Amino acid sequence: PSEAMRDQQPAAENNDVEQRLTSALARVPYAALLGVRAELKGDELTLILPYSEHLVGNPLLPALHGGVVGAFLEVTAVFSNDEAESEDLPKPVDIGIDYLRSGKPVDTYARAIVTKHGRRVCNVRAEAWQDEHTRPIAALHGHFLIRPREAAPA
């Protein structure tokens, strides 16, 4: 294949993965209510929480509601797993969220890293930011129950 065709293949694969993620996100009613969408650049998944007035918890500041930010980070952590596209989404076992600064009334972005992937539980770290990736507004550390992987045939 020509170089131009090789360059198009990863883009087509990314579009396919983004479509599957969009479909999987649609299965989570709260993610749909928040308007969460996924964007894939190379192998890096970023979830986006578009600003909307109904997400504001304190209209005097205005600041995003902490529950919205926490739920957004949880959705990000769930979809960071390979199992996110399967029928059985990972289930949260224990989640801790550090609220680092107020969320402004602008779009919010989040990424997660699976720090350990066991047979039944995976550990995930996620961060949400707005203007600069280096200035997160909140961070999550959680443990998620996953379906045991099938044993490889002998």
Side-chain angles (χ1 to χ4, degrees):
S2 73
E3 189 172 319
M5 288 181 72
R6 279 192 301 258
D7 288 345
Q8 291 175 355
Q9 288 173 343
E13 288 173 17
N14 276 359
N15 287 341
D16 183 45
V17 172
E18 278 187 31
Q19 287 175 347
R20 289 196 316 261
L21 283 167
T22 299
S23 172
L25 275 168
R27 294 193 337 249
V28 180
Y30 196 58
L33 174 72
L34 295 177
V36 175
R37 64 181 198 272
E39 189 174 278
L40 191 63
K41 299 284 187 203
D43 63 350
E44 201 166 61
L45 174 66
T46 302
L47 264 58
I48 302 164
L49 175 67
Y51 171 72
S52 179
E53 239 177 79
H54 77 280
L55 304 178
V56 172
N58 184 344
L60 298 177
L61 292 178
L64 294 179
H65 192 283
V68 168
V69 174
F72 177 52
L73 281 169
E74 182 180 336
V75 168
T76 302
V78 164
F79 282 90
S80 69
N81 290 286
D82 297 337
E83 288 81 8
E85 295 177 38
S86 73
E87 289 299 312
D88 297 325
L89 292 173
K91 307 287 188 264
V93 173
D94 140 36
I95 289 177
I97 298 175
D98 295 325
Y99 294 95
L100 306 171
R101 55 186 50 86
S102 292
K104 297 179 284 190
V106 297
D107 290 356
T108 306
Y109 307 89
R111 287 191 191 132
I113 297 170
V114 177
T115 55
K116 183 175 189 300
H117 198 297
R119 287 187 314 118
R120 296 181 185 270
V121 176
C122 66
N123 301 343
V124 181
R125 190 177 67 235
E127 288 187 343
W129 73 94
Q130 293 179 318
D131 298 326
E132 297 177 41
H133 181 60
T134 58
R135 291 181 42 87
I137 63 168
L140 170 145
H141 180 80
H143 303 95
F144 293 82
L145 184 64
I146 55 176
R147 275 180 58 164
R149 292 185 172 171
E150 301 294 323

